[in-house]
Amino acid sequence: MTILNQITRLEHCEDRTKDRVAPIVYAIDDDEGMLTSLAWLLSGSNIEARCFQSVQAFLATFDPDQPCCIVIDVRMPVMTGLDLYEIILERGIAWPVIFVTANGTLSMAVNAIKAGAFDFIEKPYDPSDMLALITRALANAGHDHARRMENVGFDARFQLLSRREIEVLREVVRGKQSKIIAYEMGISEKTVDVHRTSIKRKFKTPSVAALVKDVLSHKPDWQN
């Protein structure tokens, strides 16, 4: 792949990372009335809700890449909310999950939280409490999505580097000057500067300080 094609691919990737995807709410409950009430509550705060009356219907349309909060009723026919949560964990889905139940127990709530659930709320719940809980969960999902996109962008930029550029970059991150890097690598200082310029261009950083900050935020072990 030519460097032009690589940069074009990176720019396409960066366009994707700049997209601001609004987190949504997936709600799964066999009680249609509860789903309707929740959807109405969320619409008042301009939060999109996608509601399902069965686990199967939810799984058929769920997009794991869409930042979201998942609200699950514990007790449903055929497949329970806890069954669904096991599937979510098995698939490595890390979006916040809120359990809702009218017949929950303390041990059930504790086990769900220990397994990684965001929270556990009992029916009938106070609408303001539920809205606040979902708002916090969506904020977490949004921040997590932003971090994931930053990582995607960094990985794409890093993949543009040649082996030698990676070696030079690591020494730059360690705070070494070009003449020291050149001496230790057995190359000319001018060659090191050429690599540094190429690295900055590929990372689109205005300064060495910005470049080092970007690299260390993703590769903290490089500081050693």
Side-chain angles (χ1 to χ4, degrees):
M1 180 181 294
T2 66
I3 186 63
L4 178 59
N5 287 337
Q6 289 177 317
I7 293 174
T8 300
R9 184 185 66 178
L10 172 59
E11 290 175 344
H12 175 70
C13 178
E14 289 179 336
D15 288 340
R16 288 177 55 208
T17 62
K18 292 176 183 177
D19 291 342
R20 294 296 179 184
V21 181
I24 66 173
V25 175
Y26 287 101
I28 306 96
D29 194 322
D30 61 322
D31 185 334
E32 184 177 1
M34 291 298 295
L35 289 177
T36 300
S37 297
L38 181 60
W40 179 84
L41 173 67
L42 296 177
S43 67
S45 296
N46 296 316
I47 299 173
E48 180 183 352
R50 299 180 185 177
C51 301
F52 305 88
Q53 287 186 263
S54 72
V55 171
Q56 294 84 350
F58 162 73
L59 290 174
T61 61
F62 175 60
D63 178 5
D65 295 324
Q66 166 75 48
C68 66
C69 162
I70 308 173
V71 180
I72 309 173
D73 183 43
V74 172
R75 301 189 183 280
M76 291 183 288
V78 184
M79 188 180 293
T80 69
L82 296 176
D83 292 331
L84 172 57
Y85 193 48
E86 287 187 10
I87 294 174
I88 288 173
L89 294 177
E90 288 172 357
R91 295 184 180 182
I93 297 168
W95 303 123
V97 172
I98 298 172
F99 280 109
V100 180
T101 183
N103 303 295
T105 64
L106 179 60
S107 61
M108 184 185 295
V110 169
N111 289 337
I113 298 300
K114 283 184 176 180
F118 187 78
D119 215 326
F120 197 103
I121 191 169
E122 289 187 305
K123 295 178 181 178
Y125 50 75
D126 183 291
S128 61
D129 289 343
M130 174 58 94
L131 181 59
L133 186 58
I134 287 177
T135 299
R136 285 195 293 112
L138 291 179
N140 281 16
H143 293 153
D144 186 49
H145 181 258
R147 286 194 298 271
R148 293 184 190 184
M149 292 300 97
E150 285 180 10
N151 290 336
V152 168
F154 177 83
D155 290 343
R157 294 191 296 273
F158 193 80
Q159 288 174 14
L160 294 179
L161 304 180
S162 67
R163 179 185 59 80
R164 178 63 86 180
E165 286 172 344
I166 292 174
E167 293 173 351
V168 170
L169 175 59
R170 183 147 195 169
E171 300 309 313
V172 169
V173 169
R174 288 171 173 163
K176 295 181 180 180
Q177 297 179 344
S178 293
K179 61 182 179 181
I180 301 301
I181 298 173
Y183 174 77
E184 292 180 347
M185 289 188 173
I187 57 180
S188 70
E189 185 176 345
K190 181 178 180 180
T191 299
V192 173
D193 287 337
V194 168
H195 286 315
R196 289 173 63 131
T197 299
S198 176
I199 292 167
K200 286 175 60 180
R201 178 169 59 86
K202 291 176 181 179
F203 269 80
K204 296 185 177 180
T205 51
S207 66
V208 172
L211 173 63
V212 171
K213 182 179 179 181
D214 188 18
V215 172
L216 287 180
S217 68
H218 294 88
K219 293 182 175 293
D221 59 303
W222 273 32
Q223 197 162 13
N224 302 323

